[in-house]
Amino acid sequence: MKHAFTKGLFVAATATLIAACSTDDAADQMPVAPGKIEVSLKAALPQSRAQIEVDESNGRFSGSWEATDELTVYAEGSTSGEETPKFTYDADAKVFKGQLTNATQDWTYQAVYPAVDATPLNIPFGAERTQKGSNFNGAYDPLVSVPVTHVGAEPGKTPQGEAVTFGLNRLTAILALTFETDDATVKAEKVKSVALTAAGKTIAAKSFDITLGDQSGALNASEPSETITLSYEAGSEPTAASFKAYFNVPAATYGKLSVVITTEGHTASLDLTTDGIELLPGELAYTTKAVSGWTALAAAPTLEWVDNPTFEPQEIKAGMSVKVNLQAAAGIEGFVIKVDSKGLATILGQMQMPVVGTVTTMDMINDPNTEAIKSMIPGFPDPLAGHTEAFQLDLSTLVPLILELPGMGIPAEDIYGNHKFTLIMSDALGRSIEKTLVFYVPAPNPTITYAAGAWNDMATFTLQNVPADAQTVKVQYKTTDESQWHDAEVNSDRTAAIARPEFTSHTSADWTTLEAANVKPYKRKVAGTGILDGKTYQYKLIVDSFESEVAEFDSAAANLTNPAIPTLDQKELSCYTTENNTDATWWGSGNNTFAKSLCKHDATYKGAHLKAESGGLVSFVGLAPGNLFSGKFYRPSTDGTVYFGQPYQWAKRPSGVKVQYDAKTGNVNNGKHGWKIAEGSPDYARIFVAIVNWEKTRDVTSGMSTPKGCWDPETSSDPSGDNCGGGQIVAYASLWISQTALKGSFNEVTLPFNWYAEDVNPANANYSLVISCSTSAYGDYLNGYKSAEMYVGDFEWVY
């Protein structure tokens, strides 16, 4: 026969598969989905699949499944419906494993190889294929089985409990080609590809489409080709001395079949048949051909960076030289430039170039929009396609233009870092060369500056020029007499850092009443932490391998203090003398014509004397608690309004407040507006100091009417955003006094601040300090002990 083919038979031409419930150990089983059972499909050996071995002496071949093989089983249950699980080959157990619904019912089975996700059954069958060494690639070998039905059976079994069997039929033919050469120049070279051409016949397309109904198949109409090019996977290329090539082709009658073989340096072409051969579905045609008449290939494409042959990254500078020599002796078939540059992406996108993220891809042969790019890069031959001679591209003008991008509206930070120009040139023989030219604009070194705040136990550092892709960003600080560096907290966008004191969290109150359980969680500063008075600090910035020079700053002087709280030893204060303290510059009280003794100056204690009133003009409310506060007071009628809060300019954060007091209280005997403390229970006098960040005063009205606006910084429902004050309660210090007899002199106690918002600096707030003193903790409800007294001396900050 002129075609010199032998047509052989498959060993077990129809591959038989046996399905049965798996009996593998549990350790070998895949996780079973709810309602499913594992089923194994066993292939009858020897197999006509995967690793094909051709026995030319008797025209037979055999093979075995590979561990990567998968098939799709179309199983339809009479009650469970259709399911299309994939079954994967287990090389150790020599079965295909998958899962089916665990139900006894009528089952119909069919199988398809290679595995597909669902109908339509489109097996990839393109003109570009791969092969690993001389091994058959089953990815282009469509197989389908005849449907088989079993009534009232378990999954994978017949009604009699025996294994279900069905066969797979091959829908294409296989050409198994063996090539040999004795040419000493060529036989050691690696084979790159074998191209099979069927004159006048379509042998490849986008897919081979299978029809389950009649177990047939046909080429898809899309992407038809008369040629299949088989390439060998990198690292598996056989040598030209002896190698195999397998081609799945549609069953048909063929006329001329020819091949073109390409090695690393040579090519040869030969006819396999000229007078025709008929190939049937499932048939093998094989032959061995001696190859001669090799022709040396034109040189592979070359690309040389004239000024930088080692392709080291280059800093972009004005006047730099960037020249590239190129040649594709076999003729240029493709030329693509990929530019990876955040700064250039915007500009190139405006030129109608395809941009994805920061990468712009320019097809210099097929995209007409690249004409503008060619005009910016001298040296492109015209026409570019098919050009065989050496040429030189000059990027010396284009690349330095990157430095001018900020003048075109591109942010300066978008030009820092690398700009990559990748040149990809391919020739008519399918060979290509790809080289990347890397240019960079050095970013300014990261910088760090120190800024002092009103809370001088914190330091704020401003960071600039930190690269967005930096892996590590640290700010460290220490005193000059320390050896250990401490880490500051760097914010999420890495533009600032804070050296802050440590705070511990608390939830319990330091007193016991009905309200103690409602105290909001707060924090207390750990002594000795943060930026301490009278110290010199060093700090530095570390960004990946970059470390800034160490800089210094002095903390606030040890004698820096907040403004003194006005003394109460001033008998002319309006809180002692004025009925309505609407113009009070600091201290206010409810001293009024009904009960002028509510707040008086006391020369013996050198402070304020607060006294509860229960008789006289206040007998109709039962109790008028003595009170003193920072703020203003107005009583237009039998109700009075306290406007809590005074402006205050903070110089540093206090750790607490020192308070002087003497007090007498007893059991509660009045509850005009409710019993916050039950009748007969011990009453408390109350002093608190609150650091606030308010835009307006906090107004509390009390008297004959039900009180309005009552608040307590310890139990505020929203200390981080209080509505009545238009801002936050930053911190508070609280004292509950249960002393039942006057001592005759001041007690002195230091109250620590409890912090809600330790980072908030209230220095510029309109109202930032509240102090409140009352002979009864719930005096605004007129609930308390009618004979209570309290003396209050000066308040002093503690640091």
Side-chain angles (χ1 to χ4, degrees):
M1 295 186 297
K2 292 183 180 180
H3 54 71
F5 274 102
T6 301
K7 298 206 292 186
L9 296 174
F10 296 125
V11 174
T14 298
T16 300
L17 298 178
I18 303 171
C21 294
S22 173
T23 57
D24 297 337
D25 292 338
D28 296 328
Q29 294 180 358
M30 67 184 76
V32 178
K36 302 289 184 179
I37 187 172
E38 185 179 87
V39 173
S40 296
L41 301 178
K42 296 184 178 180
L45 294 175
Q47 287 300 320
S48 54
R49 273 290 308 112
Q51 302 292 344
I52 290 177
E53 297 292 336
V54 178
D55 182 356
E56 295 191 6
S57 64
N58 59 22
R60 298 165 71 86
F61 75 97
S62 62
S64 60
W65 295 99
E66 295 179 289
T68 56
D69 280 333
E70 286 187 323
L71 53 81
T72 298
V73 173
Y74 287 78
E76 183 173 1
S78 57
T79 59
S80 61
E82 184 180 284
E83 49 197 287
T84 56
K86 289 183 180 179
F87 278 65
T88 304
Y89 188 66
D90 184 327
D92 294 329
K94 294 183 173 54
V95 296
F96 283 88
K97 288 185 175 182
Q99 297 178 17
L100 293 173
T101 297
N102 187 10
T104 299
Q105 56 186 324
D106 298 347
W107 285 97
T108 299
Y109 304 95
Q110 276 188 279
V112 171
Y113 178 91
V116 292
D117 290 330
T119 56
L121 312 180
N122 300 332
I123 307 299
F125 209 74
E128 300 294 330
R129 302 183 186 178
T130 60
Q131 184 174 298
K132 187 174 183 180
S134 288
N135 298 320
F136 177 69
N137 187 350
Y140 313 102
D141 188 26
L143 310 175
V144 64
S145 73
V146 176
V148 58
T149 300
H150 295 280
V151 178
E154 296 178 20
K157 293 184 178 181
T158 67
Q160 293 76 31
E162 298 175 352
V164 171
T165 62
F166 54 91
L168 286 172
N169 300 318
R170 178 169 277 108
L171 301 182
T172 64
I174 298 177
L175 295 179
L177 310 177
T178 302
F179 300 101
E180 299 173 346
T181 186
D182 292 328
D183 191 316
T185 305
V186 181
K187 65 181 183 179
E189 292 182 349
K190 292 181 179 179
V191 180
K192 307 303 288 185
S193 66
V194 179
L196 170 70
T197 299
K201 286 284 188 181
T202 297
I203 57 174
K206 181 180 180 180
S207 61
F208 189 93
D209 301 342
I210 298 175
T211 303
L212 275 179
D214 59 6
Q215 299 85 59
S216 63
L219 290 177
N220 192 288
S222 300
E223 302 174 19
S225 176
E226 295 182 1
T227 300
I228 298 173
T229 300
L230 181 68
S231 301
Y232 294 88
E233 294 181 12
S236 75
E237 303 97 325
T239 62
S242 179
F243 60 98
K244 296 181 183 296
Y246 295 97
F247 294 91
N248 280 83
V249 295
T253 299
Y254 292 93
K256 181 180 179 181
L257 293 173
S258 60
V259 294
V260 175
I261 301 168
T262 303
T263 68
E264 294 171 295
H266 293 79
T267 185
S269 59
L270 65 154
D271 293 336
L272 299 176
T273 178
T274 57
D275 64 346
I277 181 175
E278 182 181 8
L279 296 176
L280 302 176
E283 192 168 41
L284 170 74
Y286 59 92
T287 187
T288 299
K289 286 286 188 178
V291 186
S292 59
W294 295 94
T295 301
L297 294 173
T302 59
L303 190 157
E304 175 195 13
W305 189 346
V306 176
D307 310 291
N308 182 20
T310 59
F311 285 79
E312 294 297 319
Q314 299 291 299
E315 181 179 350
I316 301 176
K317 297 179 179 180
M320 69 187 302
S321 176
V322 185
K323 296 180 179 179
V324 181
N325 291 335
L326 304 101
Q327 185 176 15
I332 296 174
E333 187 171 89
F335 198 106
V336 172
I337 300 177
K338 290 186 177 181
V339 180
D340 186 353
S341 164
K342 186 176 182 180
L344 285 174
T346 300
I347 301 298
L348 294 172
Q350 293 170 354
M351 298 172 65
Q352 307 304 311
M353 300 298 174
V355 180
V356 178
T358 61
V359 178
T360 307
T361 302
M362 297 175 287
D363 187 333
M364 305 305 294
I365 291 178
N366 300 309
D367 189 345
N369 292 320
T370 58
E371 290 301 319
I373 301 298
K374 290 180 182 178
S375 67
M376 301 170 68
I377 306 176
F380 271 108
D382 188 18
L384 179 59
H387 189 80
T388 61
E389 301 299 322
F391 61 99
Q392 184 180 84
L393 297 181
D394 190 347
L395 287 76
S396 304
T397 300
L398 176 63
V399 173
L401 285 176
I402 292 173
L403 298 175
E404 300 179 17
L405 289 177
M408 303 178 191
I410 304 300
E413 56 267 24
D414 286 357
I415 74 165
Y416 299 143
N418 290 336
H419 301 262
K420 301 177 182 180
F421 291 75
T422 300
L423 308 182
I424 308 168
M425 183 174 66
S426 58
D427 67 8
L429 297 174
R431 299 169 300 179
S432 66
I433 188 168
E434 178 175 330
K435 293 283 188 179
T436 299
L437 289 66
V438 180
F439 306 94
Y440 66 91
V441 177
N445 283 336
T447 60
I448 180 172
T449 54
Y450 162 76
W455 293 138
N456 80 309
D457 57 354
M458 297 171 63
T460 301
F461 304 95
T462 299
L463 314 182
Q464 292 182 314
N465 303 324
V466 175
D469 59 352
Q471 299 297 306
T472 302
V473 179
K474 286 185 177 181
V475 173
Q476 295 187 323
Y477 68 98
K478 70 178 186 68
T479 62
T480 52
D481 54 5
E482 282 184 298
S483 60
Q484 181 66 43
W485 289 91
H486 310 289
D487 288 332
E489 294 181 21
V490 179
N491 66 0
S492 59
D493 61 4
R494 303 195 287 196
T495 59
I498 297 177
R500 69 179 72 237
E502 296 178 21
F503 289 85
T504 55
S505 297
H506 300 269
T507 57
S508 62
D510 292 336
W511 54 279
T512 304
T513 71
L514 296 175
E515 294 294 312
N518 295 327
V519 170
K520 299 300 178 184
Y522 59 86
K523 297 179 181 179
R524 281 190 180 166
K525 180 186 171 184
V526 177
T529 63
I531 304 300
L532 306 178
D533 283 344
K535 294 284 188 178
T536 298
Y537 282 84
Q538 297 177 323
Y539 63 96
K540 62 184 177 180
L541 171 64
I542 302 171
V543 179
D544 294 338
S545 60
F546 169 83
E547 185 169 319
S548 71
E549 294 184 4
V550 174
E552 293 186 354
F553 68 88
D554 291 326
S555 66
N559 61 355
L560 179 63
T561 61
N562 292 316
I565 299 172
T567 179
L568 288 165
D569 188 19
Q570 303 178 71
K571 61 182 179 180
E572 67 275 9
L573 290 176
S574 65
C575 60
Y576 302 143
T577 62
T578 306
E579 176 182 343
N580 290 313
N581 309 137
T582 55
D583 297 324
T585 57
W586 184 258
W587 292 110
S589 80
N591 185 342
N592 57 66
T593 56
F594 288 101
K596 292 184 177 181
S597 60
L598 291 179
C599 183
K600 292 182 177 181
H601 176 260
D602 186 88
T604 302
Y605 278 89
K606 295 184 179 181
H609 177 211
L610 313 183
K611 186 176 181 181
E613 288 286 340
S614 61
L617 294 177
V618 299
S619 59
F620 51 87
V621 294
L623 171 67
N627 55 81
L628 175 73
F629 45 83
S630 60
K632 303 178 188 298
F633 178 77
Y634 177 58
R635 185 197 59 78
S637 62
T638 55
D639 290 333
T641 299
V642 177
Y643 302 92
F644 283 107
Q646 286 285 13
Y648 192 80
Q649 294 298 311
W650 297 92
K652 63 189 296 185
R653 183 205 302 271
S655 63
V657 62
K658 188 182 294 183
V659 181
Q660 294 179 318
Y661 76 93
D662 193 11
K664 178 187 77 171
T665 188
N667 293 335
V668 171
N669 51 16
N670 198 81
K672 171 66 176 178
H673 299 298
W675 299 91
K676 303 292 287 186
I677 298 179
E679 184 175 12
S681 297
D683 193 11
Y684 292 83
R686 178 79 186 278
I687 297 174
F688 69 74
V689 180
I691 301 172
V692 297
N693 198 30
W694 292 346
E695 296 176 357
K696 58 183 179 179
T697 58
R698 175 73 179 247
D699 306 345
V700 179
T701 299
S702 181
M704 285 294 293
S705 303
T706 301
K708 299 178 182 178
C710 302
W711 69 292
D712 181 343
E714 282 188 316
T715 60
S716 175
S717 60
D718 188 8
S720 63
D722 190 273
N723 291 327
C724 293
Q728 294 169 299
I729 300 174
V730 177
Y732 70 91
S734 180
L735 177 64
W736 292 74
I737 303 168
S738 59
Q739 183 176 316
T740 58
L742 289 171
K743 176 182 173 184
S745 61
F746 278 134
N747 301 293
E748 189 171 83
V749 62
T750 296
L751 308 177
F753 272 110
N754 301 329
W755 296 89
Y756 290 136
E758 64 274 13
D759 289 349
V760 172
N761 179 353
N764 297 321
N766 290 334
Y767 300 94
S768 56
L769 181 59
V770 174
I771 298 177
S772 175
C773 309
S774 177
T775 57
S776 289
Y778 296 102
D780 40 7
Y781 290 88
L782 306 184
N783 174 210
Y785 174 56
K786 294 180 180 181
S787 301
E789 291 184 70
M790 180 163 62
Y791 292 87
V792 181
D794 288 340
F795 291 77
E796 181 182 347
W797 299 123
V798 178
Y799 301 101

